[in-house]
Amino acid sequence: MGTLPLPTCIGFPDAGRGGRGLHWGMTSTRPTSVGLPSLAQLRALLAVADAGGFSEAAAELGVSQSTLSEAISKLEALAGRPLLRRGRTGTVPTPAGERMLTHARAAVQAAGDALLAAQEDTQLRGVLRVASFRSTATHLLPPALAAFRAQHPGVTVRLMDGETVGGGQELVRRGQADAAIVIEENWTDLRLTPLVMDEYLFVAPARRGSHPVTPDDLGEPLLLAPGPNSCNLRVRGYLRRCGVQQGRVTEIGEDSVILGMVAHGLGVSVMPRLALEPLPEGLVALPLPERLMRPLALATLPHRANLPVIRAFTDALLAALHRPHVPAPDPAAALPGGASLLH
């Protein structure tokens, strides 16, 4: 799953204008409050900072660049200093702009949440942004999304890449995602709803056979996903505990490429079970010498977890995970101590 767009706020269909979407209202010259920025100006700042440029942000908001520039200029006049800096690589916030971004996100999010909180559970509308790993988006989310859409057709779900730098948890913290499937850690600033425990497996050519894996097997050329994401860091920590030399690790960006190379005897790998569903021909997937799990959870901001639309999605996801046809690992409540996930 490639990088997905990062919208800056939840929008609602405009029933008074034919249901054509969110209207930002940045053409008005009348301030909403003397000396205070308008929500439209704060949205403009967030859009440019997230997109890295005025043209990209204008396209995201559906306004002209001149309208966007005017909104930023008025916001900078209120702040009394530049908030954005244009350079060769794009537009980035100044130090003052960076300090403003956190509060701008909170203000825009709070305004949207006020409308979300007023909705009835049976008449939900708007956009819900969910960040996910590729494997969970492939195997865990589709049944939940289908059930959620059937129950709440007025809500549009936007899937986002949860494998970006910082992970889905950072997208939730910054207000760019409403919920994210993450590997559970001891984060006190997030509401974490346990989902499933996913086991990491040793992947090798099928001709190796199914005899138990030893630490020596991990010393072969290892092919792993790249980057400092939570999944990769978890695997590398395990390898260090097993005494595996990290210099023998080759990083490859696509899971399918890794599996193809392993099938042709070019190395071995360690991957979560969900990433191996279904296991391609020519491969064998076996338990590691010591079990390594990734506890998957749904992360939300605590003060937003009970918004009707987020609560409804959480309920739909939990219900879907307990249906027999979902190819998911054991429920979190059943682990640790259960049987191996590979039979």
Side-chain angles (χ1 to χ4, degrees):
M1 184 171 65
T3 301
L4 300 174
L6 304 181
T8 57
C9 72
I10 291 181
F12 296 90
D14 186 344
R17 301 197 182 189
R20 292 180 296 172
L22 186 63
H23 295 268
W24 300 95
M26 289 193 293
T27 58
S28 174
T29 59
R30 183 171 58 190
T32 57
S33 180
V34 176
L36 294 177
S38 68
L39 287 174
Q41 291 165 352
L42 296 178
R43 288 187 185 109
L45 176 66
L46 293 175
V48 176
D50 290 342
F54 277 77
S55 60
E56 297 88 345
E60 176 69 26
L61 299 183
V63 300
S64 66
Q65 289 192 49
S66 60
T67 298
L68 196 62
S69 296
E70 180 183 358
I72 295 295
S73 296
K74 289 182 177 180
L75 186 60
E76 291 179 327
L78 287 172
R81 54 188 47 83
L83 301 174
L84 296 170
R85 180 188 303 115
R86 300 192 195 212
R88 293 183 178 179
T89 58
T91 301
V92 297
T94 64
E98 284 285 359
R99 294 192 297 272
M100 183 179 283
L101 282 177
T102 298
H103 301 283
R105 290 192 195 282
V108 170
Q109 187 174 80
D113 286 354
L115 295 178
L116 289 177
Q119 293 190 358
E120 299 292 339
D121 291 347
T122 56
Q123 296 179 337
L124 300 180
R125 300 169 59 203
V127 176
L128 182 73
R129 302 155 302 171
V130 180
S132 174
F133 304 114
R134 287 189 295 268
S135 57
T136 53
T138 301
H139 297 294
L140 298 189
L141 283 181
L145 293 177
F148 183 76
R149 183 172 65 178
Q151 295 169 0
H152 307 288
V155 179
T156 298
V157 178
R158 293 182 182 174
L159 285 183
M160 304 172 66
D161 187 358
E163 297 177 277
T164 56
V165 175
Q169 63 272 16
E170 285 304 315
L171 296 178
V172 171
R173 289 187 178 111
R174 294 198 301 263
Q176 294 174 300
D178 302 303
I181 295 181
V182 300
I183 298 177
E184 185 174 354
E185 301 287 352
N186 187 27
W187 297 313
T188 59
D189 61 328
L190 296 175
R191 170 79 65 85
L192 298 173
T193 302
L195 299 177
V196 294
M197 295 287 272
D198 192 15
E199 184 174 9
Y200 289 90
L201 301 173
F202 174 77
V203 188
R207 60 179 177 272
R208 175 200 179 277
S210 60
H211 56 274
V213 178
T214 68
D216 289 340
D217 291 319
L218 300 173
E220 297 184 37
L222 268 170
L223 310 177
L224 298 179
N229 58 72
S230 55
C231 188
N232 199 10
L233 292 175
R234 205 174 193 85
V235 171
R236 285 183 175 273
Y238 178 87
L239 295 175
R240 282 193 297 271
R241 294 192 297 273
C242 290
V244 176
Q245 296 294 324
Q246 300 292 300
R248 295 181 65 82
V249 174
T250 299
E251 294 186 344
I252 299 174
E254 295 295 330
D255 293 348
S256 59
V257 176
I258 292 176
L259 295 178
M261 294 179 69
V262 171
H264 284 82
L266 298 175
V268 296
S269 187
V270 175
M271 285 184 165
R273 179 180 182 269
L274 282 175
L276 296 169
E277 292 280 352
L279 186 68
E281 292 185 9
L283 295 173
V284 61
L286 302 166
L288 292 167
E290 295 183 11
R291 295 183 81 188
L292 176 64
M293 313 296 293
R294 61 170 185 171
L296 298 175
L298 187 69
T300 58
L301 291 174
H303 68 278
R304 305 189 72 228
N306 285 321
L307 289 173
V309 67
I310 295 179
R311 187 177 65 244
F313 174 76
T314 302
D315 291 345
L317 179 56
L318 291 174
L321 289 178
H322 289 85
R323 292 174 184 167
H325 68 276
V326 179
D330 296 342
L335 292 171
S340 171
L341 298 179
L342 183 70
H343 301 286

